[in-house]
Amino acid sequence: MDMSYMVDVFLELLSGVPLTIQLVATSTAAGMILGLLLAFMRMSSSAAVRLFAQTYIFVFRGTPLLVQIFLIYYGLGQFHHTLQDIGLWWFFREPYWCAILALTLNTTAYTGEIFRGGLQSVPFPMIEAGRAFGMSRFVLFRRIVFPIALRQALPAYSNEIILMIKATSLASIVTMMEITGLAYKLISETFRAVEVFVCAAAIYLVLTFVITRVVQGLEWWLSPHLRRDPKWMMRRDGDRHYAKSQAASSGGL
Amino acid sequence: MTIFELIGFGPNGWGLAMLLATAMTIALALCGFSIGCVIGVAVARAKLSKSRLAVVMADFYTTVLRGVPDLLVIYLFYFGLSQFLSGTVTFWCADGGFLLGLLQPSAITPGLCGSRGFIELPRFLIGSLALGVVSGAYQAEVFRGAYGVLSRGQIEAAKAVGMSPFLMFRRIIAPQVLGYAIPGLANVWQLTLKESALVSVIGLVEILRQSQIAANSTFKPFYFYVVAGSLYLAITAVSTYGFSRVEQHSLRGIRRA
């Protein structure tokens, strides 16, 4: 492996990062809202709504994402006259929008199940206490249910975001030049797969690492009750200054 | 032509081709999953070992393979193995080039010797290796988690009755760890099955590739991708049922709350 070639490859691949981030950000943001909606539908009291949500989840989790992308991008092309007539063709003509739509629909199914787990883990007494305070349903959701559910769901949700980062690579098959698309181009031009793989893998791992850290920070922020008392931590570390200051302050009193 | 004629088994139907492709998908996913099982056990063993080096290497393996898109891994195996082999062909050509020719007759073309060309390897092999390497990383985590559930007392008891490490693995560890690992393994199986669709990019004719071919020659892509999706759904549904049966069977001796 020669280093100058690696540097070239790395710089070339970096130019695909914005598109990857764009795809991930748009589809996870949309998937979060739709997923929350789906979670509510899945827990609805109407059997028809529940059945719809269950079918949606079964279909989108049970088929490969690549099939979903092909179905939207190539499959809907079969109906392009109809789509033109109703004025939606500009959307389904673009691989960018098709990829985002497929990624969003796919992550919605997974996110819905994650959120449902989170929402169902909120202890009922907390909801009762909120009601006893006279909170409206919306305030109860915003202040009590959602923060607790989010905290419960975060570890699983961070996994889902990482899966999404990996999933955006499939957009390269419908001609999107994100990291994997550029990597494929470089490999098929030079046949130096190992060097290109190492560079692309490094970029993906950095992205994954950053996401994991951000979510961990969010989790820490949402769970103040689990944080250790800083003084207690100091004592556990055997910090003599702490002990000394304690002694001094108690002596001073 | 109606959709039923298109996907049926008549003279113009693609039904048989799609069924064969389904068999290919199942075979590919099974091969990938089995390779992953072997890798998973080995990596889980390394993760639980006392050697720091083994632990670090195993962690590196699972982190990288779970953090990198599977498509890249497939490209690495498809192009990378060829890169590696074409490097060796130039080296072997003087005396041992015929060895490769025996392995894969079409691999050696007269013009290739001495030049750095592209060597085609069997796509099924490449696909199942790539799937196996990825699914192995996931399975390692599953096995490691399941091993943690095993109580230490059982291992001590097995040592106390003088079992050799192999016998202990076969009689005590493997049956129980497998039982606990089944829900996790079921997830990995679904993952592997869905990822097998990616192998279509290197041209192996499995469900997705076959529906692409059919879509291109009939100009009815929507129908064929719906058929492809339904076939995957059918495999998923059957395997979910199968795994739940196996789980019930293997955990029948365990009391549950």
Side-chain angles (χ1 to χ4, degrees), chain A residues 61-62 78 110 166 191 193, chain B residues 66 83 118 138 194 222 236:
Chain A
R61 294 206 311 178
Q78 193 180 325
Y110 289 91
K166 290 166 58 177
F191 285 104
Chain B
R66 292 190 309 159
Q83 179 186 359
F118 184 75
Y138 285 97
K194 286 187 274 173
F222 188 79
T236 316

Side-chain angles (χ1 to χ4, degrees), chain B residues 184-216:
Chain B
L185 287 181
N187 277 339
V188 180
W189 162 251
Q190 307 277 27
L191 219 67
T192 312
L193 176 69
K194 286 187 274 173
E195 263 145 32
S196 74
L198 300 187
V199 181
S200 66
V201 299
I202 59 170
L204 183 77
V205 185
E206 39 68 78
I207 296 179
L208 188 56
R209 184 76 187 171
Q210 185 62 62
S211 27
Q212 252 177 314
I213 295 168
N216 288 341

Side-chain angles (χ1 to χ4, degrees), chain A residues 121-133 135 140 144-145 148 151 225:
Chain A
S121 75
V122 178
F124 192 68
M126 291 194 181
I127 299 171
E128 270 182 327
R131 281 187 192 150
F133 273 114
M135 284 186 181
L140 184 70
I144 313 289
V145 177
I148 295 173
R151 189 171 73 202
H225 64 297

Side-chain angles (χ1 to χ4, degrees), chain A residues 58 61-64 66 70-71 74-75 78-79 110 166 169-170 173 184 187 191 193-195 197 200-201 204, chain B residues 66 68-69 71-72 75-76 79-80 83 118 138 194 198 201 208 212 220-223 225-226 229 232-233 236:
Chain A
F58 175 66
R61 294 206 311 178
T63 53
L66 194 56
F70 278 13
L71 191 62
Y74 297 115
Q78 193 180 325
F79 307 113
Y110 289 91
K166 290 166 58 177
S169 67
L170 301 192
I173 298 178
Y184 177 73
I187 293 176
F191 285 104
V194 178
E195 288 93 332
F197 177 82
Y204 275 109
Chain B
R66 292 190 309 159
V68 168
L71 198 54
L72 270 179
Y75 289 152
L76 175 74
F79 294 106
Q83 179 186 359
F118 184 75
Y138 285 97
K194 286 187 274 173
L198 300 187
V201 299
L208 188 56
Q212 252 177 314
K220 294 276 185 273
F222 188 79
Y223 296 160
Y225 293 132
V226 168
Y232 281 110
L233 269 187
T236 316

Side-chain angles (χ1 to χ4, degrees), chain A residues 234-247:
Chain A
M234 273 155 89
R235 203 183 314 179
R236 204 179 105 147
D237 291 344
D239 191 334
R240 286 191 187 156
H241 294 287
Y242 176 72
K244 236 185 239 173
S245 72
Q246 282 295 95

Side-chain angles (χ1 to χ4, degrees), chain A residues 104-193:
Chain A
T104 305
L105 292 178
N106 185 267
T107 187
T108 297
Y110 289 91
T111 313
E113 282 295 86
I114 293 170
F115 282 169
R116 182 176 65 97
L119 288 169
Q120 281 177 339
S121 75
V122 178
F124 192 68
M126 291 194 181
I127 299 171
E128 270 182 327
R131 281 187 192 150
F133 273 114
M135 284 186 181
S136 70
R137 278 181 69 160
F138 179 72
V139 173
L140 184 70
F141 180 76
R142 185 172 64 83
R143 289 231 183 118
I144 313 289
V145 177
F146 188 66
I148 295 173
L150 188 65
R151 189 171 73 202
Q152 290 290 338
L154 266 180
Y157 192 61
S158 85
N159 270 340
E160 174 56 21
I161 301 178
I162 289 165
L163 285 176
M164 281 304 284
I165 296 179
K166 290 166 58 177
T168 55
S169 67
L170 301 192
S172 69
I173 298 178
V174 288
T175 70
M176 300 304 298
M177 277 299 167
E178 40 67 74
I179 303 171
T180 305
L182 292 171
Y184 177 73
K185 199 184 83 176
L186 288 173
I187 293 176
S188 56
E189 278 169 9
T190 60
F191 285 104
R192 292 165 86 169

Side-chain angles (χ1 to χ4, degrees), chain B residues 136-158:
Chain B
Y138 285 97
Q139 289 190 45
E141 297 291 342
V142 172
F143 285 132
R144 190 180 57 120
Y147 185 81
V149 183
L150 205 66
S151 67
R152 280 217 57 76
Q154 298 209 19
I155 293 169
E156 277 166 16

